[in-house]
């Protein structure tokens, strides 16, 4: 299935809001680390409901905020959730960004990067649109070390790139970005039931759920354009 068809269906089923709620547990920590200044331009790749840009506008007074998403239904929803004219949501592939060289101060992406057919090309695009000293904050929950996320591939009709931490750093460097930080942000908010409650609908064993959320959570790789 195409990325657009898959995520149009998700958006129509209201899953954009569900992801917003779950991803927020760790996304808010990663967003709080971004060195954004008032008035700066921020780009959100695979924006979904657009919550990250709404939050950055509300809390950090960023300027032009552009969310790109392959799903026209996601874009439609994201536009509906705000009446802030500084927020732009564009349908398109993040491998070909409709933005000029050096025109962006910061790039954000949560749980979207690994859907890219050519992730290296996306990183080169990010490098192209960032101004010198601009940053990219790439957050993913699906990665090699978090082994209990690997089954997601069976549930999603789009090929997903299962990279490990080192691979992210290597790919950033190959695209000409300095890797200035990388770590994992545990999800401490999700409720993990007592051992006696397992198996649950989603989890066979409590240990697996603990590993997924508390041990690994979200992998954040931070790059800076030279
Ligand atoms: N960032 C949001 C949405 C995550 S879901 C959140 O944290 O909740 C992943 C999103 O990435 C989907 O909306 C999907 O349409 C988008 N996406 C996947 N591959 C893409 C691509 N190549 N170009 C643009 N958007 C893409």
């Amino acid at each position: 299935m195409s990325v657009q068809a898959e995520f149009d269906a998700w958006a129509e089923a209201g899953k954009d809001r569900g992801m917003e709620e779950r991803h927020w547990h760790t996304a808010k920590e990663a967003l709080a680390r971004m060195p954004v200044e008032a008035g700066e331009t921020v780009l959100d790749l695979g924006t979904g409901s657009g919550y990250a840009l709404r939050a950055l506008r509300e809390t950090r007074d960023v300027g032009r905020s552009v969310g790109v998403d392959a799903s026209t239904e996601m874009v439609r929803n994201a536009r509906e959730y705000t009446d802030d004219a500084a927020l732009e949501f564009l349908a398109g592939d993040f491998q070909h960004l409709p933005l000029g060289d050096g025109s962006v101060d910061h790039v954000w992406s949560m749980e979207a990067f690994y859907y890219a057919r050519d992730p290296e090309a996306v990183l080169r695009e990010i490098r192209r649109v960032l101004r010198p000293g601009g940053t990219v904050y790439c957050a993913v929950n699906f990665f090699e070390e978090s082994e209990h996320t690997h089954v997601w591939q069976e549930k999603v009709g789009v090929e997903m790139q299962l990279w490990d931490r080192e691979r992210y750093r290597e790919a950033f460097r190959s695209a000409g970005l300095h890797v200035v930080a990388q770590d994992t942000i545990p999800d401490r908010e999700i409720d993990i039931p007592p051992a006696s409650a397992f198996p649950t609908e989603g989890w066979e064993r409590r240990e697996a759920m603990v590993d997924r959320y508390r041990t690994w959570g979200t992998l954040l790789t931070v790059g800076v354009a030279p």
Side-chain angles (χ1 to χ4, degrees), residues 25-27 29 33 183-190 210-219:
H25 297 178
T26 54
E29 263 192 59
R33 297 182 193 178
D183 67 352
T184 50
I185 303 173
D187 181 341
R188 296 193 184 84
E189 285 181 24
I190 190 143
V210 168
D211 187 73
R212 150 75 184 95
Y213 290 105
R214 303 283 202 264
T215 304
W216 294 112
T218 296
L219 171 65

Side-chain angles (χ1 to χ4, degrees), residues 3 7 19 23 43-48 51 68-70 93-97 107-127 136-144 152-153 156 158-175 177 179 182 218-223:
V3 167
F7 287 99
M19 287 193 289
H23 296 167
L43 172 65
D44 181 2
L45 302 182
T47 192
Y51 67 91
V68 174
D69 204 290
D93 192 312
F94 48 49
Q95 276 174 225
H96 306 285
L97 296 170
V107 174
W108 163 260
S109 183
M110 173 80 186
E111 279 291 84
F113 179 78
Y114 50 72
Y115 293 113
R117 277 179 309 284
D118 184 352
E120 276 90 1
V122 177
L123 288 168
R124 287 194 297 273
E125 269 296 81
I126 291 172
R127 165 86 177 84
V136 47
Y137 278 64
C138 177
V140 294
N141 294 344
F142 176 79
F143 55 99
E144 182 64 41
W152 295 353
Q153 176 65 89
V156 178
V158 175
E159 198 193 329
M160 298 159 76
Q161 311 279 344
L162 187 59
W163 285 9
D164 64 12
R165 289 174 291 183
E166 175 62 22
R167 181 84 196 270
Y168 273 92
R169 297 199 303 276
E170 270 169 20
F172 271 49
R173 286 192 292 259
S174 300
L177 296 160
V179 178
Q182 183 181 57
T218 296
L219 171 65
L220 177 68
T221 306
V222 181

